[in-house]
Amino acid sequence: MVASGQAIPQNEPLKYLALGDSYTIGESVAEHQRWPVQLVAALASKGLQYFQPTIIAATGWRTDDLKNAVESAKPSKNFDLVSLLIGVNNQYQGKSPTEYAVEFEELLEVAIQLAHHEKSKVIVLSIPDYGFTPFGKIGQDKISWEIDHFNAINRSISEKKEVKYVDITDISRMGLSDTELVADDGLHPSGKMYGLWAARIVKELF
């Protein structure tokens, strides 16, 4: 990926795999507004050319759903960048944080394997806080507390595995103060918010 803050020479486009749920597949936004797609465009401005991202994600997926989907898809283990963002549906559906920790760590290990077994090619994103949307604001305090708990888990595991961790939760918490950051469904991020995520990731990488 990026080791020294400089663009690396390359002969052909790089391969990017994005693993996740509704946030990664871009529920309620156009394909070009998905954050993995915007990330590829942003990386191009840094001299890194990627193929359009391979995305394994679907609305409603928990960690176990994503794990099963990756096992079924059997992606090759030659990606130059792998991102992982998962957990909001574990929280929303009242699943155990302990169970989440186990399954998240298993998924992160899979992500590392898919990135040539190179930890430097893996990034984890924090879970956004949907309590700061029209849909979630009525339960904001409880949602935010639980999201923080789940994020403490995935951050700790990411640090243990020595992969890059990008916190975008603070951006998601701007959703009620800037309505343009929330999609028309009143729940998911808009393309504008996803653009802010992509910019944050690039800043962290460089």
Side-chain angles (χ1 to χ4, degrees):
M1 200 162 53
V2 179
S4 63
Q6 306 255 333
I8 59 175
Q10 59 182 104
N11 296 318
E12 60 182 38
L14 302 170
K15 298 178 181 178
Y16 168 33
L17 173 65
L19 305 175
D21 49 35
S22 61
Y23 295 125
T24 297
I25 200 61
E27 179 73 21
S28 297
V29 302
E31 182 175 348
H32 72 276
Q33 294 178 312
R34 297 169 176 171
W35 71 261
V37 176
Q38 295 197 58
L39 176 60
V40 165
L43 289 171
S45 70
K46 296 291 187 179
L48 289 169
Q49 301 297 324
Y50 280 84
F51 289 110
Q52 285 301 298
T54 299
I55 298 177
I56 301 178
T59 299
W61 277 2
R62 303 178 305 268
T63 43
D64 56 331
D65 298 309
L66 178 57
K67 185 170 181 285
N68 291 336
V70 173
E71 290 174 352
S72 296
K74 295 180 172 62
S76 60
K77 298 180 179 180
N78 65 345
F79 286 93
D80 302 288
L81 176 63
V82 179
S83 63
L84 177 62
L85 166 53
I86 192 73
V88 71
N89 294 298
N90 293 69
Q91 179 275 329
Y92 181 70
Q93 297 175 30
K95 298 299 180 179
S96 162
T98 302
E99 178 183 64
Y100 172 71
V102 171
E103 294 174 350
F104 179 84
E105 185 161 0
E106 291 173 348
L107 277 167
L108 185 51
E109 189 57 46
V110 169
I112 293 169
Q113 293 171 12
L114 295 174
H116 300 275
H117 296 269
E118 295 184 33
K119 296 177 180 180
S120 64
K121 296 182 176 181
V122 178
I123 57 174
V124 171
L125 273 68
S126 65
I127 303 168
D129 187 347
Y130 66 93
F132 287 79
T133 65
F135 175 88
K137 66 180 180 180
I138 191 170
Q140 184 182 102
D141 289 346
K142 180 175 184 291
I143 292 168
S144 295
W145 186 89
E146 292 180 352
I147 292 293
D148 283 345
H149 184 39
F150 275 75
N151 277 333
I153 292 169
N154 58 45
R155 180 189 286 272
S156 175
I157 293 170
S158 298
E159 290 175 349
K160 181 176 74 172
K161 294 289 185 179
E162 300 178 309
V163 303
K164 174 69 71 175
Y165 186 87
V166 181
D167 191 339
I168 51 80
T169 307
D170 61 320
I171 299 175
S172 71
R173 287 172 172 161
M174 298 163 56
L176 290 177
S177 58
D178 184 351
T179 57
E180 291 185 358
L181 296 178
V182 179
D184 290 342
D185 66 2
L187 171 59
H188 291 92
S190 67
K192 180 179 178 180
M193 182 183 289
Y194 284 142
L196 295 177
W197 294 9
R200 172 74 59 83
I201 294 167
V202 170
K203 182 178 179 180
E204 292 284 340
L205 295 182
F206 286 85

